[in-house]
Amino acid sequence: MSKLTNFTLKNQNLKKGGVFNLKLSKSILLGFAITCLTQYEAKAQFTATGQIRNRVEVRAGQGTLQQKGDKAALFSSQRTRLNLGYTGYRFKIFTALQDVRVWGQDASSINRTTTEANNGLLLHEAWAEVSLIDTLSTIQNLSIKAGRQEIAYDDQKVLGSLDWLQQGRRHDAVVFKFANKGWTVDVGAAFNQNKENNTGTIYNGVNPAYGAGTNGIGTMYKSFQYAYVGRKFFFGDLSFLFFKDDFNKYTMVTSGTPAVTTKVNGQGTWNRNTTGIYFNTNVTRKLNFTGSVYHQNSHDKDGKALNANMASITSTLQVGRKLFVGPGVDYLSGDDGTKTANSENNRFDPLYGTPHKFWGSMDYFYAANGFGKQGLLNYFFKMKYNAKDNLSLFLDIHGFEAANKLSNGAGGELSSYLGTEIDFQVKYNLTKIINIEAGYSIMKATNSMASAAVKNVANADLTPQFGYIMLNIKPNFLAKK
């Protein structure tokens, strides 16, 4: 064989081997990459969920009494949410983009004509949580969660997401979180400012667009700090909460001709402290009690000395397999309306909770509409009947009474009883992600409810009504078909 022929054969063999080696190398690299990605995918997780919630409401005295002859209101509102989450090694991030509007408030051929006061598009949540421990730690959780987030604990009476409102409730805050062996400890703080200031930290808590505030107090906190400690025991759950919210100090200044009085914010804050405990216990397999006791002191948002209390207890008894019943009572202290001047404020404010859940579906108390200074006694009896696995019926009966004396405006007293409310609801799960809910409420109010000391409505219709029907769809965009 000639040298030329031998060289050609060797060269061809080298080429074949080179191609084979190259293919083998690519296969190894591809397999290694797939293995790495698979392992990373096991550690990291992306979630994408959403919500479309349409609600049609008929209001004929919702929130406050109407005058006789007033027509009922009818409208449809919609919440649209896109929730995106990502979990990786020692961190989580979550964003909830939300749009809330009433059908028809935008012209059909013009984009975004609504004002800020009509809600619209915003970030409901946007937070990151970073773990301070690695995956081998015996501690269940030790992390820091920072950003816009819902803050809700226990039965959500004083701190809750307020989900009934289409816009919900959220806070810009940082929370240190610990959980281990049945213990939960959260320590959180928030500090609000109107903009990026170059000097000072004076905060105007009254947003001219939204009328910021909680439970109708008319102003937003400048800052808050809280500590929550919860423990699961063999008999149930027990928790402790300390919450301090701070309101920017102000003075009322009168000037000009004609004289005009304006609110001028200054340095410093008035601090409000709320301290209490919550319990949830099963006395027997079919009998449950939940309750709470809270005390507020220091100063209110206007700098007045504060001394107020709240106490609540609810029982739930299972009767048979499908029926749950139980009475309960809430007490929230208030001021004596027969006194022209009080040295301190005795009105308890249930902070940033979910009043719609506790004090009637018609939202007469501790919601957007005020109801005087006298506090509240709420006697109630609740029933739940699970007709089917996907169908539940609810009936709540409330008796509302002033927790303190009511003035008739002429040196005398009014009856403390405010009215009786009946709430009926039905919830039906069409599928796992599609829910239909409807409700009807009616109240038999008293003249005391219409008085100047409470709702202050002349010629009031004392039989207000409220009804709604709601479609709620919560898709999981990454769920397997």
Side-chain angles (χ1 to χ4, degrees):
M1 184 180 292
S2 66
K3 292 182 178 180
L4 179 61
T5 304
N6 188 38
F7 173 80
T8 302
L9 291 172
K10 287 182 178 181
N11 191 41
Q12 288 176 349
N13 291 333
L14 285 172
K15 287 182 178 179
K16 290 180 180 179
V19 171
F20 175 76
N21 291 334
L22 180 60
K23 289 181 178 179
L24 181 62
S25 299
K26 288 182 177 179
S27 298
I28 293 173
L29 289 173
L30 181 60
F32 179 74
I34 291 174
T35 302
C36 291
L37 288 173
T38 303
Q39 290 177 347
Y40 182 76
E41 182 66 22
K43 295 179 180 179
Q45 183 179 5
F46 177 75
T47 60
T49 62
Q51 182 184 34
I52 295 288
R53 192 171 82 173
N54 301 113
R55 187 164 70 219
V56 179
E57 298 184 34
V58 180
R59 295 183 176 183
Q62 189 271 349
T64 191
L65 297 170
Q66 287 185 325
Q67 290 186 326
K68 292 179 180 178
D70 287 347
K71 301 297 183 181
L74 172 65
F75 63 88
S76 300
S77 63
Q78 178 171 316
R79 171 201 286 177
T80 307
R81 279 184 183 171
L82 176 62
N83 307 314
L84 301 175
Y86 187 82
T87 301
Y89 176 60
R90 294 181 64 167
F91 78 93
K92 299 176 184 177
I93 56 176
F94 180 81
T95 300
L97 185 66
Q98 170 179 289
D99 180 82
V100 174
R101 63 187 60 246
V102 173
W103 286 7
Q105 70 183 40
D106 286 341
S108 62
S109 60
I110 300 176
N111 182 51
R112 195 67 174 93
T113 60
T114 56
T115 64
E116 285 184 328
N118 292 326
N119 301 308
L121 189 67
L122 55 78
L123 272 176
H124 177 65
E125 291 190 84
W127 52 261
E129 185 172 354
V130 178
S131 176
L132 303 179
I133 54 177
D134 60 33
T135 55
L136 299 178
S137 175
T138 58
I139 298 175
Q140 183 180 347
N141 182 43
L142 185 66
S143 62
I144 293 179
K145 183 178 179 181
R148 177 163 291 188
Q149 57 191 283
E150 294 181 348
I151 298 178
Y153 294 105
D154 302 326
D155 62 355
Q156 301 195 32
K157 187 164 287 183
V158 294
L159 290 176
S161 61
L162 195 56
D163 190 63
W164 168 257
L165 282 186
Q166 295 284 46
Q167 63 268 29
R169 174 176 286 145
R170 64 272 167 190
H171 306 267
D172 297 324
V174 57
V175 182
F176 173 84
K177 304 175 75 68
F178 168 83
N180 195 45
K181 296 182 179 180
W183 286 94
T184 298
V185 179
D186 287 358
V187 178
F191 185 79
N192 292 334
Q193 289 292 278
N194 298 112
K195 61 180 181 179
E196 297 179 354
N197 294 318
N198 290 324
T199 60
T201 61
I202 293 175
Y203 178 68
N204 178 17
V206 179
N207 187 308
Y210 288 96
T214 56
N215 304 314
I217 66 174
T219 188
M220 187 72 169
Y221 56 80
K222 179 178 180 178
S223 57
F224 69 62
Q225 309 85 46
Y226 78 90
Y228 172 87
V229 181
R231 178 72 162 90
K232 292 185 179 297
F233 296 94
F234 69 92
F235 56 82
D237 304 327
L238 183 65
S239 64
F240 166 84
L241 174 69
F242 172 77
F243 192 97
K244 181 174 80 73
D245 47 354
D246 313 311
F247 301 90
N248 207 107
K249 289 184 176 180
Y250 68 88
T251 55
M252 302 304 294
V253 177
T254 302
S255 61
T257 304
V260 176
T261 301
T262 57
K263 179 180 177 180
V264 179
N265 292 303
Q267 298 291 339
T269 59
W270 289 305
N271 315 121
R272 179 175 65 176
N273 301 324
T274 303
T275 309
I277 60 172
Y278 166 86
F279 68 88
N280 178 13
T281 181
N282 292 315
V283 179
T284 68
R285 188 170 61 88
K286 294 188 176 183
L287 179 61
N288 172 267
F289 284 97
T290 62
S292 55
V293 178
Y294 292 95
H295 174 68
Q296 282 180 343
N297 64 356
S298 195
H299 296 85
D300 64 14
K301 67 181 180 68
D302 300 312
K304 192 173 184 178
L306 178 63
N307 181 18
N309 301 284
M310 180 180 79
S312 173
I313 188 166
T314 302
S315 62
T316 303
L317 175 65
Q318 183 177 353
V319 181
R321 191 168 58 89
K322 297 182 177 182
L323 180 63
F324 299 82
V325 300
V329 61
D330 299 321
Y331 166 78
L332 296 92
S333 65
D335 291 336
D336 186 340
T338 62
K339 295 182 179 179
T340 56
N342 296 309
S343 60
E344 63 181 11
N345 181 359
N346 300 127
R347 287 170 285 159
F348 187 91
D349 186 332
L351 296 180
Y352 313 104
T354 308
H356 182 85
K357 180 181 177 182
F358 301 100
W359 300 301
S361 296
M362 299 183 76
D363 290 332
Y364 266 55
F365 308 99
Y366 302 102
N369 295 279
F371 68 100
K373 305 177 180 181
Q374 71 285 334
L376 181 69
L377 271 171
N378 171 35
Y379 310 99
F380 58 88
F381 186 84
K382 297 191 175 187
M383 291 179 283
K384 175 184 177 182
Y385 181 71
N386 295 325
K388 296 182 179 180
D389 291 340
N390 62 342
L391 177 63
S392 297
L393 307 176
F394 302 83
L395 180 65
D396 298 349
I397 303 173
H398 297 267
F400 297 120
E401 185 176 339
N404 219 312
K405 296 178 181 179
L406 291 175
S407 172
N408 63 4
E413 294 183 28
L414 293 171
S415 168
S416 62
Y417 197 75
L418 302 177
T420 302
E421 179 176 330
I422 299 175
D423 302 322
F424 174 74
Q425 292 179 333
V426 56
K427 296 182 180 181
Y428 175 68
N429 295 321
L430 183 64
T431 69
K432 291 183 179 180
I433 66 171
I434 303 175
N435 171 266
I436 300 172
E437 179 180 330
Y440 172 74
S441 299
I442 186 170
M443 178 187 291
K444 180 57 180 176
T446 66
N447 289 320
S448 296
M449 181 78 85
S451 69
V454 187
K455 291 297 183 179
N456 193 23
V457 178
N459 192 30
D461 182 348
L462 298 179
T463 311
Q465 301 177 70
F466 169 64
Y468 73 93
I469 184 168
M470 183 164 64
L471 173 65
N472 192 14
I473 305 175
K474 290 185 173 182
N476 183 350
F477 300 114
L478 297 181
K480 295 181 179 180
K481 295 183 179 179

